[in-house]
Amino acid sequence: MLGVESRPLQCRDTPGDNPVLMNRDSGPLGLLWLYMKNLLVCRSPEMWHQSFGLLGKSYAHDTTGSFFLGKWLRVPLYPVSLCSAVVDVAIQDYVADVAAELIYQNKSQTSTEVLFVFPLGPHMAIYSFQARSEDAKVHAVLQDELSVPPCPSQVQQPHEATGGWENLEYLRDQSEYPGEAFACFLGTLSPGREVVVTLRYVQELPREPDGAARFVLSPTLNPYGTLYVWNCRTSKLHYSLLLTASLQSPRGVVDVQANFALTPLIYTAQDHSTAQVSLAGSPQCHHDLELLVYYGDPTAVSAVVEKGDPEAPPGSLLGDPMVLVTLAPSIPEAVPGQRQSGEFIFLLNTTFLEHAQDSLLFLLKSLPLGCYFNIYCYEETSVGIYSQSVEYTQDNLTEAMRRIPSTGSSLGDSNLLETLRSVYNTPRPHRHPRQLFIFMAGLPPDVEAIAAEVCRHRNSHRCFSFCFSEDSAALAMALAKETGGEAAYVSSDNRRSFVVLKCLKQALKPAAEGVSLSWTLPRGLEVEVLGGTPQSIFQGQHNLLYAQIHGQAQDTTVAKGVMTLQYSLDGQDVTYTIEFPLCPQGDGRLAGHRLAARCLMKRLLPESVSGSGEEPRHRAVEISLTSGIICPFTSYVGVRTPQRVTWYQRPLALLPPRQSLIPCQIVELRGSRISSCYPKSIWVPPGWLTAVRASWLALRQLTHDIAALPQRRACSKACKPPPPLFSSLKYVDPMEFGLCSSTLWQWCPEAAAKCQELVALQNADGSWALSSGLASVLEVDEDEIKGKMPDEVMEPSIWATVMAVTWLHRHDEYYQDLCELLEAKAVTWLCSQAVSQLDKCLETANTLLGSSVKPSVFRL
């Protein structure tokens, strides 16, 4: 079931109190009081889990399933049952094409207005949708945002547009699921009637560490988490599910694993390059259906060639063959504290400079030797402290700390765009992957231009973004997502250092540098890599590239092409060469072509924003309309065509069915945590929707909730608001990412101050000098430290460093997360200086400090 029987909305003052029902006569103020008092502790028995699919509402006036406009306010949720699902999956290496047919039936006693909702993952795109019932057929059509609706002579005004779009708005704000979802209003479904939904989408699949491709069936196609499924005694699905998967890889399909029963793997090619597998029986109903596909000989590079559409013109995106290239170099773990390549650029704003000097200290001191760094205080100037990045040495670090201003005078992030341009125009050191750390206090101006600038250079660097306010969370996430970095929302000063250092640990993972692809093809053919090739690939990452073959081969006897991958790892050049067929076979589903279209449209966005004329926009629109993949310049419109014909008696004539427009769009679900006490779809009539939304918005403003206030746009073009220019610049719940569970400052502020003093005294190479400042932090007399230094120690800094590391481990409950990188660098320096002296130094330090640090800390 994709809905539940409606019951009165139950809210509780405290857990255990009796349910409270709101009288409609209390009005908006009473409703506001109900929300303010009970919203966060409300518990409804119809709690859903990932409930998407066909959702319904009704205006009946019975007491068992109605929106009752009498004494009590009731929120109706009517069942729209999924009777059967037929899912056909085609997987090529790490790309999937999914075709699904879903049959729903209205088992209630009243007519129900239904809305189909399908959640979209970050690497998923719908390219075909239609629904048909006995009365009408609904088809989702892409159109240019600036164009007129299709078939203007036959299309009527939007069908029930106001109610349908209000429902989409309410779904956007109240859904617990965060992210994008495809939503289409299907009209009214009579009791006992069925509607058949046909859906097709493509998806990039994640690559597991062992090389397997991981496919998860969407919860809409496998809605296990509803009330009736969770309470079922047999643990069987309440609907029939037929799942088949076709697998293809030139490396051969070796094995398939799943968390449900499968039929035996059937190979359809002698070289095992293609195979089929199906669902066996009925799976358990309390988990996602996951499929792991293993291929032969996981290597650093693989390629699958997909033939073009024979009906598309040669030279077009869909007409020419596409090579799906997977880059996944095997990169070993780096030893913490050792010399490491990399360029680290820090873009600091006024808030960070004024309130986070401690975080900046930990950040700079934790950098490894061998890297390069630079600092930009972009609210002061777009010029860096150094004209270009400099090597990380003690002298350069000391000079950088001296030049950083402690406070700033600017009130906004006014120079972030110019600073980014200055960074990108500065050459980076050879074989040092570039990584940016961007700190934002508020939403800067020129958001679209900033995103376009970062997107234009996404192959040459990674961004780690930190936001200190809710309004900049979406931009921070977008910058990180475009470049393969991470984003963090810092809601408290106490967490700042932990969050920053956590991202630095991620940034310090080793990388394959200087990545390049070269191609050997017969004369007359050439290859275009759509979206470009990344210059660096970090440990744990894999890149999926789309390369299209253009032209006509002059020598038709050559059946294969050659691709060569080259990169540098730890200063050593690595080369891989693979062959691929020039005349590929395939099922013609064009999954790779459609995902390539998505990639190419993303590349065209920065050009359209930068004022390169109308050509980039026109090309993006053309690609979108031909591939069926939406882009920021196109939008969905639902076209409803009645199935029944109209007859006129005088004169007798049969008229064609007249079409009408219905709401259909990509909806950005807020995913607010305050909505978790409700079922995931709440339907109310438009009259009451105004009062509910007004009270709800007032509540959010009064309580300073983290969710952004929904913007009400004027209805135009079937009441559809235009999509944002960048699909990644969307609402982000700051509570959903980048938080640490423990904080040093909440536990012991005095210890934090001591730790900062000790870190400030550490040298860039990880060592400490024997000084009065160090003795003060250790709370030991300086003469006593000097007197207790073992005779075997020839260098006082060795003894001082052992004392400092021992003191840190004495308080490791406070400093473990903060000083992990600092300690690793110090131990590496000690091991390079005096391994034979460390045993005696540690024994003496434990005695002097009253600690019991083990030799394993010093790698002994």
Side-chain angles (χ1 to χ4, degrees):
M1 304 286 287
L2 291 181
V4 294
E5 295 290 348
S6 106
R7 295 192 178 102
L9 174 64
Q10 295 187 1
C11 296
R12 304 178 186 272
D13 270 341
T14 59
D17 287 350
N18 293 327
V20 178
L21 293 180
M22 194 202 75
N23 192 305
R24 73 178 179 92
D25 296 330
S26 59
L29 292 180
L31 186 62
L32 174 61
W33 168 248
L34 172 75
Y35 270 69
M36 291 179 65
K37 195 173 183 182
N38 300 311
L39 192 56
L40 295 180
V41 295
C42 172
R43 294 294 182 267
S44 171
E46 298 89 6
M47 192 72 68
W48 286 11
H49 177 75
Q50 294 292 356
S51 303
F52 294 92
L54 209 59
L55 312 174
K57 73 169 185 177
S58 175
Y59 300 108
H61 297 281
D62 62 282
T63 60
T64 60
S66 65
F67 187 93
F68 186 54
L69 294 181
K71 185 177 181 180
W72 305 111
L73 171 64
R74 295 173 181 266
V75 179
L77 293 174
Y78 284 89
V80 183
S81 302
L82 177 62
C83 300
S84 69
V86 179
V87 183
D88 180 26
V89 184
I91 297 177
Q92 301 181 88
D93 257 19
Y94 302 100
V95 165
D97 183 288
V98 182
E101 182 179 87
L102 311 172
I103 301 178
Y104 297 91
Q105 184 181 27
N106 181 13
K107 294 185 178 180
S108 68
Q109 301 301 316
T110 59
S111 296
T112 303
E113 292 182 350
V114 293
L115 175 72
F116 182 81
V117 182
F118 184 82
L120 297 173
H123 303 289
M124 183 186 299
I126 290 178
Y127 67 90
S128 176
F129 173 84
Q130 71 174 12
R132 65 182 186 277
S133 63
E134 187 176 283
D135 298 327
K137 179 187 294 185
V138 174
H139 185 60
V141 179
L142 279 177
Q143 65 172 359
D144 188 342
E145 279 288 335
L146 302 181
S147 68
V148 297
C151 306
S153 61
Q154 298 182 9
V155 174
Q156 298 175 343
Q157 292 298 318
H159 173 68
E160 299 181 1
T162 302
W165 284 108
E166 281 191 341
N167 286 336
L168 291 185
E169 286 290 323
Y170 202 79
L171 172 67
R172 173 187 290 122
D173 298 321
Q174 286 293 328
S175 172
E176 184 183 350
Y177 174 86
E180 293 181 338
F182 172 85
C184 187
F185 181 67
L186 303 184
T188 303
L189 190 63
S190 302
R193 297 294 176 84
E194 293 183 346
V195 59
V196 180
V197 174
T198 303
L199 176 76
R200 293 176 178 269
Y201 67 89
V202 290
Q203 180 181 8
E204 292 184 359
L205 301 181
R207 183 182 187 273
E208 296 296 294
D210 56 5
R214 180 173 177 264
F215 173 78
V216 179
L217 193 64
S218 169
T220 299
L221 310 182
N222 175 40
Y224 65 86
T226 62
L227 173 70
Y228 293 100
V229 173
W230 278 113
N231 293 338
C232 62
R233 296 181 180 179
T234 62
S235 297
K236 298 295 184 180
L237 293 179
H238 62 282
Y239 64 96
S240 64
L241 173 62
L242 177 61
L243 172 65
T244 59
S246 302
L247 316 173
Q248 177 188 357
S249 174
R251 293 177 289 158
V253 179
V254 175
D255 189 21
V256 177
Q257 297 181 6
N259 59 354
F260 55 92
L262 292 173
T263 60
L265 189 64
I266 300 176
Y267 290 103
T268 56
Q270 292 184 353
D271 59 358
H272 290 189
S273 60
T274 60
Q276 288 184 346
V277 71
S278 301
L279 171 69
S282 180
Q284 297 294 317
C285 64
H286 47 269
H287 54 68
D288 287 324
L289 299 185
E290 298 184 6
L291 198 69
L292 294 177
V293 184
Y294 291 87
Y295 306 113
D297 298 330
T299 58
V301 59
S302 63
V304 176
V305 185
E306 183 179 85
K307 69 177 182 180
D309 185 357
E311 298 182 359
S316 65
L317 181 65
L318 297 183
D320 288 345
M322 188 73 64
V323 185
L324 283 60
V325 181
T326 302
L327 304 181
S330 177
I331 303 175
E333 291 281 350
V335 178
Q338 288 192 344
R339 294 181 63 88
Q340 191 171 337
S341 62
E343 182 191 26
F344 301 90
I345 299 179
F346 306 98
L347 280 67
L348 313 179
N349 68 329
T350 302
T351 299
F352 189 84
L353 291 173
E354 291 179 348
H355 304 290
Q357 290 287 323
D358 53 344
S359 300
L360 181 61
L361 174 67
F362 281 104
L363 190 61
L364 294 178
K365 292 285 187 174
S366 298
L367 292 177
L369 289 176
C371 73
Y372 284 70
F373 79 106
N374 203 354
I375 302 172
Y376 291 77
C377 304
Y378 63 84
E379 288 181 339
E380 299 292 334
T381 176
S382 60
V383 180
I385 288 180
Y386 296 105
S387 58
Q388 60 185 24
S389 295
V390 296
E391 187 177 359
Y392 183 75
T393 63
Q394 182 61 45
D395 291 341
N396 288 334
L397 177 60
T398 302
E399 180 65 15
M401 297 294 290
R402 185 188 67 82
R403 294 187 184 184
I404 297 174
S406 58
T407 60
S409 58
S410 177
L411 299 178
D413 298 354
S414 55
N415 291 322
L416 179 56
L417 177 59
E418 293 302 322
T419 303
L420 286 171
R421 289 172 176 170
S422 177
V423 170
Y424 296 141
N425 289 331
T426 303
R428 67 183 179 95
H430 181 59
R431 289 189 173 180
H432 286 266
R434 171 172 287 178
Q435 301 185 82
L436 271 57
F437 284 66
I438 304 176
F439 298 86
M440 294 179 288
L443 188 65
D446 302 320
V447 171
E448 292 181 348
I450 290 173
E453 192 70 22
V454 173
C455 184
R456 185 179 296 108
H457 298 275
R458 64 180 177 271
N459 286 327
S460 63
H461 74 301
R462 285 201 302 183
C463 281
F464 290 84
S465 309
F466 306 88
C467 57
F468 306 104
S469 63
E470 298 154 9
D471 54 355
S472 58
L475 178 60
M477 182 65 79
L479 302 185
K481 178 182 176 182
E482 288 294 334
T483 59
E486 292 185 358
Y489 172 75
V490 186
S491 60
S492 169
D493 292 343
N494 301 334
R495 289 188 172 99
R496 185 176 292 118
S497 296
F498 288 93
V499 173
V500 171
L501 290 175
K502 181 181 178 181
C503 288
L504 179 60
K505 292 175 186 177
Q506 188 71 19
L508 288 176
K509 288 188 175 182
E513 175 59 22
V515 178
S516 66
L517 289 176
S518 58
W519 307 79
T520 302
L521 298 173
R523 183 174 300 178
L525 296 180
E526 60 180 6
V527 172
E528 176 189 8
V529 180
L530 308 179
T533 304
Q535 297 179 8
S536 305
I537 301 177
F538 290 84
Q539 184 188 55
Q541 287 186 334
H542 84 279
N543 291 74
L544 184 58
L545 309 181
Y546 303 94
Q548 190 152 40
I549 302 176
H550 300 293
Q552 187 69 36
Q554 297 181 10
D555 186 358
T556 58
T557 61
V558 180
K560 293 184 178 182
V562 178
M563 180 181 65
T564 302
L565 168 67
Q566 292 180 316
Y567 59 88
S568 173
L569 185 61
D570 292 333
Q572 302 294 323
D573 293 332
V574 181
T575 301
Y576 286 92
T577 300
I578 61 172
E579 295 182 341
F580 56 90
L582 295 177
C583 298
Q585 303 297 319
D587 55 10
R589 295 174 71 162
L590 303 176
H593 283 75
R594 290 191 168 91
L595 287 170
R598 183 171 173 265
C599 174
L600 182 56
M601 288 185 290
K602 181 184 297 186
R603 192 186 73 176
L604 292 172
L605 292 179
E607 300 178 17
S608 63
V609 174
S610 61
S612 301
E614 290 294 322
E615 179 59 29
R617 185 191 185 280
H618 289 161
R619 190 181 180 196
V621 170
E622 179 184 3
I623 294 173
S624 177
L625 298 181
T626 56
S627 65
I629 305 298
I630 194 171
C631 80
F633 306 118
T634 57
S635 60
Y636 285 111
V637 59
V639 180
R640 182 180 185 272
T641 305
Q643 296 285 73
R644 298 177 179 177
V645 297
T646 303
W647 291 87
Y648 282 96
Q649 294 182 355
R650 296 182 181 176
L652 184 62
L654 178 64
L655 298 181
R658 302 198 62 183
Q659 297 175 328
S660 58
L661 301 184
I662 58 175
C664 181
Q665 73 173 84
I666 301 295
V667 180
E668 182 60 40
L669 304 182
R670 307 294 191 190
S672 174
R673 290 186 173 216
I674 67 171
S675 65
S676 61
C677 60
Y678 292 109
K680 295 195 174 181
S681 295
I682 301 178
W683 305 115
V684 294
W688 278 94
L689 178 63
T690 303
V692 173
R693 283 181 57 82
S695 302
W696 172 68
L697 290 176
L699 169 71
R700 284 198 167 187
Q701 185 174 10
L702 290 174
T703 58
H704 301 283
D705 188 78
I706 59 173
L709 295 178
Q711 298 179 354
R712 303 291 290 178
R713 297 186 177 99
C715 288
S716 62
K717 297 184 179 179
C719 300
K720 179 179 296 186
L725 180 58
F726 280 84
S727 59
S728 57
L729 299 185
K730 55 194 178 186
Y731 174 78
V732 175
D733 185 347
M735 297 299 293
E736 294 297 331
F737 65 98
L739 299 183
C740 297
S741 59
S742 61
T743 60
L744 165 67
W745 325 113
Q746 292 177 346
W747 291 348
C748 187
E750 295 80 6
K754 285 286 186 181
C755 183
Q756 292 175 32
E757 293 179 27
L758 184 64
V759 171
L761 295 173
Q762 188 183 31
N763 297 319
D765 60 3
S767 66
W768 274 270
L770 186 56
S771 64
S772 58
L774 177 63
S776 175
V777 173
L778 301 181
E779 297 180 337
V780 180
D781 184 75
E782 183 180 0
D783 293 336
E784 185 178 3
I785 294 178
K786 293 180 179 179
K788 295 290 185 180
M789 184 174 66
D791 296 336
E792 297 86 351
V793 177
M794 304 301 296
E795 177 60 44
S797 59
I798 296 176
W799 170 235
T801 303
V802 172
M803 288 285 292
V805 173
T806 304
W807 186 88
L808 284 174
H809 260 272
R810 182 187 177 188
H811 305 279
D812 59 355
E813 68 272 18
Y814 299 132
Y815 309 136
Q816 183 175 7
D817 292 334
L818 281 176
C819 299
E820 180 181 350
L821 296 174
L822 299 168
E823 177 191 303
K825 188 162 59 169
V827 172
T828 298
W829 181 83
L830 284 171
C831 292
S832 67
Q833 298 294 319
V835 177
S836 60
Q837 306 169 21
L838 292 185
D839 280 328
K840 184 62 177 179
C841 287
L842 176 59
E843 180 182 351
T844 307
N846 277 331
T847 302
L848 186 59
L849 296 176
S851 58
S852 56
V853 177
K854 298 180 179 180
S856 59
V857 171
F858 294 88
R859 304 173 190 168
L860 298 177

